């Protein structure tokens, strides 16, 4: 029963991680570089280009959830990133985030992740993404589908790529 409670508690945290930085478009296989550099005009100067770069990284993040790949998931976060979710301690830094993903992926298996990026606003070297999501995962012999909402800040890295800097999400009431 303790494992089931721990798995259930992890299942409550899983939506928060899955809600962060996801995109509804189909996800091709992730390239070797988890945050490839888009062209300077597309990713660095043009708000639509920044959104495309973020959506590409979101597609990669979804793939890491479906594959259960904690290393690839953490690679999409800046070294100084923070995950802030209800019911759990703050995860600060890429190493702690990788460890958090490893624990979750060890307890649950994602079968579907769908998200709707509602808006992306760009502020120099930072961008703020707001969206909603729905995802399905298996835990304790059960299939669970949950909905949620999120706010993610992205930070432009010195080489021009965009990585997750702050990630906050929470669940929504069940659909009626």
């Amino acid at each position: 029963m303790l494992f089931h409670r721990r798995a259930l508690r992890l299942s409550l945290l899983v939506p928060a991680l899955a809600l962060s930085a996801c995109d509804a478009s189909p996800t091709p296989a992730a390239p070797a570089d988890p945050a490839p550099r888009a062209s300077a005009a597309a990713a660095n100067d043009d708000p639509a280009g920044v959104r495309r770069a973020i959506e590409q990284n979101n597609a990669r993040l979804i793939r890491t959830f479906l594959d259960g790949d904690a290393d690839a998931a953490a690679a999409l976060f800046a070294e100084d990133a923070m995950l802030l979710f209800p019911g759990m301690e703050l995860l600060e830094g890429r190493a702690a985030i990788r460890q958090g993903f490893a624990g979750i992926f060890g307890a649950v298996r994602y079968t579907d992740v769908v998200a709707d990026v509602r808006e992306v606003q760009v502020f120099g070297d930072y961008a703020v993404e707001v969206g909603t999501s729905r995802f399905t995962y298996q835990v304790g012999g059960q299939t669970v589908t949950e909905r949620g909402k999120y706010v993610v800040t992205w930070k432009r890295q010195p080489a021009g790529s965009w990585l997750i800097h702050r990630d906050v999400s929470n669940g929504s009431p069940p659909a009626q």
Side-chain angles (χ1 to χ4, degrees), residues 5 51 121:
R5 282 188 183 166
R51 182 179 178 128
Q121 295 183 2

Side-chain angles (χ1 to χ4, degrees), residues 9 18 22 33 40 44 57 95 106 110 118 136-137 143-144 175:
R9 180 172 176 166
C22 297
D33 181 357
N44 295 328
N57 280 349
Y110 285 90
R118 297 292 180 98
T136 303
Y137 57 93
T143 299
V144 178

Side-chain angles (χ1 to χ4, degrees), residues 133-135 145-149 171-176:
S133 67
R134 184 189 79 241
F135 54 94
T145 298
E146 295 187 5
R147 300 177 322 115
K149 52 210 171 285
S172 294
Q176 306 233 344

Side-chain angles (χ1 to χ4, degrees), residues 19-140:
L19 294 173
S20 62
C22 297
D23 177 67
S25 60
T27 57
D33 181 357
R37 283 79 172 147
S39 71
N44 295 328
D45 300 327
D46 172 35
V50 173
R51 182 179 178 128
R52 281 190 302 275
I54 287 171
E55 287 178 344
Q56 289 170 354
N57 280 349
N58 287 340
R60 289 179 188 89
L61 187 62
I62 288 172
R63 174 59 37 208
T64 70
F65 275 78
L66 297 173
D67 293 344
D69 188 343
D71 292 330
L76 293 165
F77 288 76
E79 285 293 338
D80 63 343
M82 292 182 189
L83 289 177
L84 301 102
F85 299 121
M88 65 181 282
E89 294 295 324
L90 169 73
L91 295 178
E92 189 169 0
R94 187 180 289 157
I97 291 166
R98 193 211 68 73
Q99 185 176 5
F101 280 124
I104 290 169
F105 294 158
V108 302
R109 187 176 74 78
Y110 285 90
T111 58
D112 189 41
V113 177
V114 178
D116 178 24
V117 178
R118 297 292 180 98
E119 71 177 19
V120 174
Q121 295 183 2
V122 182
F123 304 94
D125 287 339
Y126 292 88
V128 177
E129 173 190 1
V130 177
T132 60
S133 67
R134 184 189 79 241
F135 54 94
T136 303
Y137 57 93
Q138 295 176 342
V139 61

